[in-house]
Amino acid sequence: MLQKKTVDQLQVKGKHVLVRCDFNVPLKDGVITDENRITAALPTIQKLMQDGGKVILCSHMGKPKGEPKPELSLAPVAKRLGELLGKEVVFAKDDEVVGPNAKAAVAKMQDGDVVLLENTRYRKEETKNEDNFSQELASLADIFVNDAFGTSHRAHCSTVGVTKFVKESAVGYLMQKEIEFLGNAVENPTRPFVAILGGSKVSDKINVINRLLEKVDTLIIGGGMAYTFSVAMGGHVGNSLLEADKVEYAKEMMKKAKEKGVNFLLPVDTVIAQEFKNDAPSKTVPSGEIPDGWMGLDIGEESRKLFADAIQDAKTVVWNGPMGVFEFENFAAGTKAIAEAMANIDATTIIGGGDSAAAVNQMGYGDKMTHISTGGGASLEFLEGKELPGVAAVDDL
Ligand code: AMP
């Protein structure tokens, strides 16, 4: 169980509470195109408001690289958040983030008020976790709450440094939920436990594969990663994604799976094309028999059935990474089949953020999953068993 202080253990009445959220939402021409991260932050904010805290929110947005970039301002988030909360969220427009405007806005706060600071990455110190900006952030508040799971694998001023300079710190509800779901799934799964990994690179998921092999009953590998395994089995992958320097590792992992008695499933067929584009003519061939000049862009129909069958009996499923180039409608069927299989079973189903979360939401299965993580990189590091700096820095219980 979580050994960290949570918002339920805080006395916030009349106090300034700085909350690190993850409001890094996609924007198109100043309009928010996916507000999941904003709605995910609401429970913590509402709790602190109801308890009479003066709630100061902060977040990064995109990569302004340490200088003010108007197109990466959090102003649109303040507006939308205000609508969702039914109360004005004062936007502390301030290029220094904690400059005169922010300080003035905070000084005026009444209990239950909400202020949102400007994009923390307008300051170059933020990503270097430098003390001066951490101290400035902390100077606004008595208590710090970290509810930004998506950046908890990074040690920045607003996730780690700030905790050194406040009296008290805790994790928010979203962070608590993420840690409990991901943690329970891996440490305490109801079996059978099936993990599905996809996406482009084996090298990004080396440690996850290695650790999950200690935990799961079945490990499914699809997507661009699968071709390195195919080569490890002596297959031919044409122009498909391949990490030649990871072939030996892939062999080791298959050996480990055997030793551990893990059912290790790879695609048995592959949808291939000669060009990397949606309308490229395609055909399906057995895995490991991809001709030169062709590349695998999705798992084939037999593989979809094989994987869906394995998911069918599962009681816990964790999925990270698409099965194919799902951004192209014509090569999204494999990813869709996994989402559908997970949506239709009576089991704990967890989506490890990033592309698979986007795919599940896009395909309309979002509300069928037990938990969709808000952090791709963070959930992967968590599944690897790494301690997340943003969590470690918060007060213990
Ligand atoms: P990652 O960031 O490693 O999770 O990978 C996600 C990306 O992998 C997505 O953008 C997919 O389009 C891509 N991907 C999945 N399968 C393939 C494939 N067979 N060939 C090329 N890219 C792929």
Side-chain angles (χ1 to χ4, degrees):
M1 266 305 99
L2 188 62
Q3 300 297 317
K4 293 286 164 184
K5 197 181 270 185
T6 75
V7 283
D8 286 326
Q9 283 125 18
L10 296 173
Q11 302 292 327
V12 300
K13 178 133 188 65
K15 294 186 188 160
H16 289 97
V17 187
L18 177 70
V19 188
R20 176 48 156 108
C21 299
D22 178 5
F23 290 144
N24 184 27
V25 291
L27 282 177
K28 198 163 188 241
D29 304 326
V31 178
I32 298 164
T33 53
D34 178 349
E35 60 185 37
N36 275 317
R37 286 186 165 157
I38 303 180
T39 47
L42 294 175
T44 298
I45 300 170
Q46 281 161 333
K47 160 78 176 163
L48 295 169
M49 288 167 73
Q50 278 154 15
D51 288 356
K54 299 180 173 87
V55 187
I56 306 159
L57 307 174
C58 67
S59 171
H60 78 288
M61 156 97 75
K63 292 185 177 154
K65 305 235 165 87
E67 55 184 78
K69 295 250 167 70
E71 67 278 16
L72 293 175
S73 168
L74 282 169
V77 172
K79 184 166 172 288
R80 183 64 189 133
L81 186 61
E83 289 162 7
L84 292 166
L85 289 170
K87 178 180 168 85
E88 188 197 4
V89 170
V90 174
F91 181 59
K93 183 173 160 46
D94 203 317
D95 285 351
E96 295 169 63
V97 187
V98 188
N101 282 347
K103 287 179 192 163
V106 169
K108 276 195 233 140
M109 291 177 87
Q110 305 287 319
D111 291 359
D113 279 356
V114 186
V115 163
L116 172 62
L117 304 181
E118 184 52 283
N119 189 346
T120 50
R121 289 192 193 163
Y122 276 17
R123 291 286 295 266
K124 64 179 182 332
E125 301 95 323
E126 162 74 334
T127 53
K128 297 182 195 140
N129 197 21
E130 285 178 15
D131 278 354
N132 64 334
F133 183 47
S134 301
Q135 248 161 335
E136 286 176 40
L137 285 166
S139 72
L140 299 176
D142 308 289
I143 302 171
F144 171 71
V145 170
N146 193 347
D147 211 16
F149 181 73
T151 42
S152 59
H153 58 316
R154 304 271 177 254
H156 293 169
C157 295
S158 66
T159 58
V160 170
V162 63
T163 60
K164 285 201 283 182
F165 303 105
V166 287
K167 295 190 195 93
E168 201 178 0
S169 59
V171 293
Y173 288 134
L174 174 63
M175 189 80 115
Q176 187 180 351
K177 194 171 142 211
E178 292 271 15
I179 297 166
E180 285 179 354
F181 271 112
L182 291 166
N184 268 332
V186 179
E187 293 309 334
N188 214 1
T190 314
R191 295 186 181 275
F193 175 19
V194 177
I196 307 147
L197 296 176
S200 53
K201 290 207 232 119
V202 179
S203 45
D204 286 348
K205 295 192 172 115
I206 282 184
N207 297 326
V208 180
I209 299 171
N210 197 19
R211 181 157 186 262
L212 286 177
L213 281 174
E214 310 276 345
K215 312 273 179 188
V216 297
D217 300 294
T218 297
L219 181 64
I220 296 175
I221 291 198
M225 282 168 70
Y227 308 110
T228 300
F229 285 87
S230 184
V231 168
M233 293 195 306
H236 196 91
V237 298
N239 293 353
S240 306
L241 282 183
L242 170 68
E243 285 167 281
D245 60 337
K246 294 293 172 301
V247 171
E248 276 311 307
Y249 175 79
K251 282 185 191 162
E252 258 173 60
M253 288 303 103
M254 289 191 286
K255 188 162 160 254
K256 180 167 175 174
K258 218 174 196 169
E259 285 162 8
K260 297 269 169 202
V262 172
N263 182 23
F264 191 87
L265 296 178
L266 288 165
V268 289
D269 57 352
T270 306
V271 182
I272 59 171
Q274 284 174 300
E275 281 177 285
F276 190 81
K277 57 179 199 190
N278 183 45
D279 54 5
S282 66
K283 60 183 182 181
T284 301
V285 297
S287 293
E289 296 179 25
I290 302 175
D292 288 338
W294 292 74
M295 65 189 113
L297 295 178
D298 196 8
I299 56 172
E301 207 176 330
E302 287 303 316
S303 311
R304 285 172 228 154
K305 276 199 214 118
L306 178 73
F307 293 176
D309 279 351
I311 291 167
Q312 187 69 36
D313 299 324
K315 281 290 162 203
T316 306
V317 187
V318 173
W319 177 25
N320 188 302
M323 294 291 102
V325 186
F326 77 102
E327 297 91 337
F328 295 154
E329 177 64 31
N330 292 337
F331 300 100
T335 301
K336 196 168 186 167
I338 298 292
E340 197 170 57
M342 286 179 71
N344 289 330
I345 54 167
D346 180 19
T348 304
T349 47
I350 295 174
I351 312 293
D355 280 318
S356 6
V360 162
N361 285 324
Q362 223 177 66
M363 292 168 181
Y365 295 115
D367 57 357
K368 295 270 173 53
M369 304 298 167
T370 313
H371 180 67
I372 301 184
S373 175
T374 51
S379 64
L380 264 185
E381 292 199 14
F382 193 92
L383 293 174
E384 285 173 19
K386 278 196 195 152
E387 186 174 53
L388 303 176
V391 179
V394 163
D395 288 353
D396 290 326
L397 255 188

